[in-house]
Amino acid sequence: MKPTSGPEEARRPASDIRVFASNCSMHGLGHVFGPGSLSLRRGMWAAAVVLSVATFLYQVAERVRYYREFHHQTALDERESHRLVFPAVTLCNINPLRRSRLTPNDLHWAGSALLGLDPAEHPAFLRALGRSPAPPGFMPSPTFDMAQLYARAGHSLDDMLLDCRFRGEPCGPENFTTIFTRMGKCYTFNSGADGAELLTTTRGGMGNGLDIMLDVQQEEYLPVWRDNEETPFEVGIRVQIHSQEEPPIIDQLGLGVSPGYQTFVSCQQQQLSFLPPPWGDCSSASLNPNYEPEPSDPLGSPSPSPPYTLMGCRLACETRYVARKCGCRMMYMPGDTPVCSPQQYKNCAHPAIDAMLRKDSCACPNPCASTRYAKELSMVRIPSRAAARFLARKLNRSEAYIAENVLALDIFFEALNYETVEQKKAYEMSELLGDIGGQMGLFIGASLLTILEILDYLCEVFRDKVLGYFWNRRHSQRHSSTNLTSHPSLCCHQDSLRLPPHLLPCHTALGLLFVSSEPHPDILDMPSLHVAFPSSPQIKS
């Protein structure tokens, strides 16, 4: 095949594959579609191009598949800080109700639900408390509130707190917030409730955190009447160290601190960051604890929800479950549902919660951002023999009482550095594009502009082949409709035939006759009738 000359090459349309191959920046196309006949060299180049394109497409498919699996990786880092927010510290006495505050009315309403007492056992139990039995003609109150019972009969921090210091400065009950948990009436230090400013620390080590001394008040502990799941056999307090956004679940996550010991709790802050779907399973949407939520105002705008936490989600899930099963909530649960009565506590709420915890039916994903505290504990006995008499005089208690009831708790940061645990995307979109670009350059020597060249060529092909076909077909139909084929001897005057020009008889062998668009109204204007003869020899009349 003879090579195409320059002028002939220039006359080729842009949609011609040879023109595209000679100008495209993609390697190899010029050797495949170049001038010349089919040869072994051209076949080898075609095979190389096809193999390279197939390998490139395979690599791209693998990279896209890996990207769509949404892998993640976890990065652990340790950072330093000059100031850290001190965590919230929740304290609960293991004994939920004080014996000196229980009344016959309390036993009548809540004795069976809380203590497992039969009505016939109430007098004996009151005598065990050192109280006189109910007088004859005793009439219980018509209503009873469990929350009020725990608020009145629970241990008071004013009586338990013997000494309190934060960073060496005195503190007191006013620095604690009352909160109800499953263990009853508890107290939270540095809760940040009601917009209170959060306390911070600028140094680590003992003496730079919370240092308190507590009296557990064993003389107020209820007697163990019978063995059941709710009966406490231990003495001391439960402590949970948590962030201000997270509600305390102290009955499950609390640390036990025993009287007669000073307990040191060294903390290290950990900031956790997880990825949302599809890379991870974290969530930031808070669960409404109300089973049937209602608008907070007449306009129906939702009230601001607290930040999502894992413990908050579980507590809201338990609240919704109990509200659905029993139509009420336990006194420590959030929401607007009415508090359960003692009978509802016994017959419905407690069994429902226990069954729910056994089944673990709450599906709560990890929060996308959270703060937790790693803890290390150590203990020493108090008081020493040398300090027993001094503490007895200072606290106005006997040495035996101090050994059985007094404990000390020191909570501090080990250092002002903190750990970050962060989930990151293992494969970003930019890395996917970079890999595709690298494979494209390696196998086919192309770039993004090459793709634009291919798209531009496809547009040229569509315009020349598809649109050109329809345009030529329409043009030919329009041209044929405006031309007539007729022999001159067959033409006659319009007034004699009374026929319009487009209905004049035609002879198929004489070609097309073009009739002027403005004929004479009466006769056919012969000079305006142009005969278009074919290129065949002229017909003689």
Side-chain angles (χ1 to χ4, degrees), residues 474-486 501-503 506 511-518 528-532:
R474 185 175 59 180
H475 180 72
S476 62
Q477 290 176 353
R478 182 183 303 172
H479 183 72
S480 62
S481 65
T482 57
N483 288 275
L484 296 175
T485 305
S486 177
H502 67 277
L503 296 180
C506 302
L512 299 176
L513 298 175
F514 178 78
V515 182
S516 175
S517 60
E518 297 179 358
S528 65
L529 184 63
H530 303 279
V531 180

Side-chain angles (χ1 to χ4, degrees), residues 278-326:
W279 294 271
D281 60 350
C282 78
S283 175
S284 299
S286 299
L287 182 64
N288 194 319
N290 295 318
Y291 177 58
E292 295 180 353
E294 297 179 356
S296 56
D297 54 61
L299 298 179
S301 60
S303 58
S305 58
Y308 175 84
T309 61
L310 184 60
M311 294 298 105
C313 175
R314 290 181 179 177
L315 186 59
C317 179
E318 294 176 4
T319 304
R320 292 171 64 92
Y321 186 83
V322 172
R324 184 173 66 251
K325 290 287 185 180
C326 309

